Amino acid sequence: MTKWCRASRQAALLADMGKMVDMSDFFQSIVGKVESVLGGDVQTLVKQQLQSLTQPQTIQTLLDRADQVGLGDKVRSWISQSGNVPATPDEIRSILGSDAVHGLVEKTGLPADAVVTALVHFLPDAVDRHTPDGVLPTTDTTKSA
């Protein structure tokens, strides 16, 4: 029975990896379509907005909001040194809130679904890169002697 469970888990993991590859291809397809319609570089627009979402105070706000909506463990995985647990578009919307999503739509000129899909793809890694030691960055810019 143990071998069967292990094989079943391995099959599920491979299926999930296939879905992640499919999602990446899907995302790239969306990016290409949006770029052709808008004539802009979608990844650059999204990365500019990610900079604002990964400031120390904003990461803390993301974590606080995620705790409020029951997704704190997911965001903590992005901060920790372990693997990032992926988020769904609905979870990103819940974490950010409709006002923040609307603000990103206004700043980028992209449709809300494109913004959220991009954040699903980029936000966990961006938060991870801004928390390399597995802890929230401090907003204090002075250093102790």
Side-chain angles (χ1 to χ4, degrees):
M1 174 131 175
T2 319
K3 288 182 182 179
W4 182 82
C5 290
R6 190 176 310 138
S8 177
R9 279 185 265 164
Q10 288 174 342
L13 178 61
L14 288 173
D16 287 344
M17 289 173 65
K19 288 176 187 174
M20 289 172 29
V21 169
D22 289 345
M23 183 64 176
S24 179
D25 291 343
F26 174 72
F27 175 73
Q28 290 302 327
S29 174
I30 288 176
V31 166
K33 288 177 183 175
V34 171
E35 285 178 347
S36 68
V37 169
L38 298 177
D41 184 0
V42 174
Q43 289 187 9
T44 300
L45 290 171
V46 171
K47 287 179 182 181
Q48 288 171 346
Q49 297 313 308
L50 282 174
Q51 288 179 339
S52 68
L53 290 173
T54 54
Q55 297 301 310
Q57 184 176 358
T58 309
I59 293 174
Q60 180 63 57
T61 301
L62 286 173
L63 181 57
D64 293 344
R65 176 74 180 156
D67 282 335
Q68 292 172 2
V69 297
L71 297 168
D73 288 341
K74 189 163 289 208
V75 173
R76 278 186 192 79
S77 79
W78 307 345
I79 296 167
S80 75
Q81 292 179 317
S82 62
N84 296 336
V85 176
T88 66
D90 287 339
E91 289 171 336
I92 291 292
R93 286 178 194 272
S94 294
I95 292 168
L96 293 178
S98 60
D99 288 344
V101 171
H102 181 70
L104 291 169
V105 166
E106 286 184 353
K107 289 176 185 174
T108 63
L110 301 172
D113 288 341
V115 169
V116 172
T117 300
L119 291 175
V120 164
H121 192 74
F122 293 117
L123 186 59
D125 288 335
V127 170
D128 189 39
R129 279 192 311 276
H130 284 82
T131 56
D133 297 324
V135 294
L136 287 169
T138 62
T139 55
D140 183 18
T141 57
T142 61
K143 296 192 179 200
S144 309

